[in-house]
Amino acid sequence: MLITSCLTSPKFFTGSSSPAPSKDLKVDEKINRDYSYKKAFMPRRELLYQEITHSMPPEKISIFKSLDDWAKDNILTHLKPVEKCWQPQDFLPDPAASRDDGFHEQVKELRERAKEVPDDFFVVLVGNMITEDALPTYQTMLNTLDGVADETGSSPTSWAVWTRAWTAEEKRHGDLLNKYLYLTGRVDMSQIEKTIQYLITFGMDPGGENNPYLGFIFTSFQERATAISHGNTAKLAKKHGDLKLAQICGIIASDEKRHEAAYTKIVTKLFELDPDYTVISLAHMMRKKITMPAHLMYDGRDDHLFQHFSSVAQQLGVYTANDYADILESLLATWKVETLVGLSPEGRKAQEFVCGLPPRIRKLEERAQARTKQPPMSVPFSWIFGRQVRLL
């Protein structure tokens, strides 16, 4: 539609006759056509951090090269062999049972359980699933980090093996939730699929600067946030009587905790080897604020889809501002940031900033809640066939 509007604008067609276009007109058409293509595939919100790239001092790449054997012994151990991993089919109706109509009975039972689950829960579940299904973007992001990238697509380095195997484990999460949601009949899969395509097309803007210090701080935070979100979704599913869905969300949360342990261990090692630059990197990342992986989500209709999804998650207690503060507090304790010594003046300033941040976040959230006096509003979500969900 964007292309058509450019080619049929009055700029190109004036008067009743249609003279042969000039050479300059053809150039203008190409410029507008190219612009429209680019516009069609760019996010609906301004990117905040993309202007900074490759911020890590080049000499620090040697640190990650030297840690390859350490990563083999300490990070790859957080992976599970494929044959010992659960697979989505373990939790879904078995199509092989169709000979005695067992498959259809299992689907019927699944749909009956789903009838008791409210719309706002499905909004959160869909948002969680879409976040998981955008995995190509996350693997790409890890492969932009200097010193740890999979430079060939099948590199044998421990860093590259981790990235590929982590991606493979994570992919099961989106596959499982996607199939489950499809079978419930409660959601508009076409709109969900569009949202996934848009999100992968738009990418993400985490502010990692191709810097593995920033990148691994980000993933440490995000894996814990995802574990909390799936864990709380499991509790709500149980509350609404869908024990199978509670089991699904719980097993995904367990994976996320295992992955969090790996990423936090990497940052722990960086604090051991290079405490000054690591704490400065942590402060740099927290000043930007940790952006959620799916913050550029769009369904073709709602330019504020992520904000609306986040509001539903907040009011259901699935993921809140207090969780954000709790995660930072936990990571600071794990990394023993408060007890770091021998730092540069910039490092000590960064240490003071991050250690004082959790209570500041909580106070800001309390003030924001106290100031909020807007009346409740309802927002339509295309994921649930345009039905309205109330936001507080």
Side-chain angles (χ1 to χ4, degrees):
M1 186 171 70
L2 291 169
I3 307 303
T4 304
S5 65
C6 286
L7 295 179
T8 57
S9 79
K11 177 179 178 181
F12 300 120
F13 298 98
T14 56
S16 58
S17 60
S18 299
S22 68
K23 183 178 180 180
D24 289 342
L25 183 58
K26 289 182 178 180
V27 171
D28 284 347
E29 285 181 337
K30 183 179 185 306
I31 290 172
N32 279 273
R33 186 164 61 247
D34 291 346
Y35 171 77
S36 297
Y37 271 119
K38 184 177 181 181
K39 186 176 180 181
F41 298 116
M42 292 298 290
R44 295 310 193 264
R45 49 150 284 187
E46 182 182 357
L47 299 178
L48 300 176
Y49 309 124
Q50 267 194 345
E51 70 280 2
I52 301 173
T53 59
H54 304 286
S55 65
M56 183 177 71
E59 63 270 18
K60 293 190 181 293
I61 290 179
S62 62
I63 292 177
F64 294 92
K65 299 295 184 184
S66 70
L67 286 175
D68 194 71
D69 286 341
W70 174 87
K72 179 184 68 175
D73 296 332
N74 293 274
I75 302 305
L76 299 188
T77 54
H78 289 277
L79 298 167
K80 286 187 177 181
V82 173
E83 297 301 328
K84 293 186 178 181
C85 280
W86 60 264
Q87 297 299 332
Q89 188 52 56
D90 298 338
F91 302 93
L92 296 167
D94 182 7
S98 59
R99 286 174 295 180
D100 58 359
D101 211 32
F103 173 72
H104 295 95
E105 285 300 317
Q106 292 173 38
V107 172
K108 183 179 178 181
E109 291 174 8
L110 185 155
R111 292 168 74 95
E112 285 297 318
R113 293 194 306 270
K115 285 182 180 179
E116 303 303 318
V117 180
D119 279 342
D120 54 1
F121 175 88
F122 271 105
V123 166
V124 173
L125 189 63
V126 169
N128 285 351
M129 182 273 284
I130 289 169
T131 301
E132 298 283 356
D133 253 3
L135 262 173
T137 297
Y138 314 145
Q139 184 177 18
T140 299
M141 188 273 285
L142 289 172
N143 280 330
T144 69
L145 302 180
D146 294 331
V148 298
D150 184 356
E151 295 178 347
T152 67
S154 57
S155 169
T157 69
S158 298
W159 299 113
V161 170
W162 165 264
T163 296
R164 294 195 303 269
W166 170 83
T167 300
E169 288 195 354
E170 289 276 337
K171 186 178 184 301
R172 299 169 306 145
H173 304 167
D175 286 347
L176 175 53
L177 292 175
N178 193 307
K179 291 172 183 174
Y180 188 91
L181 285 163
Y182 168 78
L183 290 172
T184 67
R186 289 288 305 276
V187 297
D188 187 335
M189 289 305 301
S190 178
Q191 281 301 126
I192 291 171
E193 288 158 357
K194 285 180 183 179
T195 309
I196 295 168
Q197 185 174 356
Y198 271 118
L199 182 55
I200 296 173
T201 298
F202 293 166
M204 65 186 295
D205 184 29
E209 303 176 10
N210 310 106
N211 185 330
Y213 286 79
L214 301 179
F216 289 136
I217 289 167
F218 177 86
T219 51
S220 298
F221 198 104
Q222 274 305 317
E223 290 294 275
R224 188 171 185 86
T226 311
I228 289 171
S229 181
H230 285 295
N232 286 333
T233 306
K235 293 176 184 176
L236 284 175
K238 184 177 181 180
K239 176 183 176 182
H240 294 304
D242 195 334
L243 299 184
K244 176 61 72 173
L245 181 55
Q247 183 186 19
I248 287 171
C249 296
I251 200 72
I252 292 173
S254 178
D255 266 7
E256 303 291 5
K257 288 179 182 177
R258 181 161 48 84
H259 296 159
E260 176 208 346
Y263 285 119
T264 55
K265 189 181 288 187
I266 294 170
V267 180
T268 297
K269 189 65 173 178
L270 293 176
F271 269 111
E272 175 188 323
L273 298 175
D274 191 8
D276 200 63
Y277 187 76
T278 305
V279 73
I280 291 170
S281 298
L282 175 59
H284 182 54
M285 203 70 206
M286 297 314 302
R287 285 190 177 97
K288 290 182 175 185
K289 299 180 182 178
I290 300 291
T291 56
M292 301 297 107
H295 65 289
L296 298 179
M297 67 166 55
Y298 178 62
D299 61 352
R301 301 180 185 179
D302 185 355
D303 286 343
H304 305 288
L305 180 58
F306 180 76
Q307 289 87 338
H308 293 152
F309 154 66
S310 297
S311 294
V312 177
Q314 168 100 1
Q315 69 187 32
L316 289 182
V318 169
Y319 185 75
T320 68
N322 283 328
D323 289 323
Y324 186 97
D326 289 345
I327 293 170
L328 177 57
E329 202 165 54
S330 175
L331 291 175
L332 291 173
T334 298
W335 295 330
K336 299 181 173 60
V337 175
E338 192 171 4
T339 61
L340 293 174
V341 295
L343 300 174
S344 69
E346 186 181 1
R348 289 195 298 272
K349 185 177 179 181
Q351 180 187 40
E352 182 180 358
F353 169 74
V354 294
C355 289
L357 198 53
R360 284 179 57 196
I361 292 171
R362 292 193 179 96
K363 285 183 180 178
L364 288 171
E365 176 61 15
E366 288 174 5
R367 290 173 186 171
Q369 292 295 331
R371 286 196 304 266
T372 301
K373 295 182 179 180
Q374 295 178 346
M377 60 179 289
S378 293
V379 174
F381 281 88
S382 67
W383 302 338
I384 51 172
F385 301 99
R387 292 193 293 273
Q388 300 271 340
V389 171
R390 193 179 184 188
L391 305 181
L392 299 179

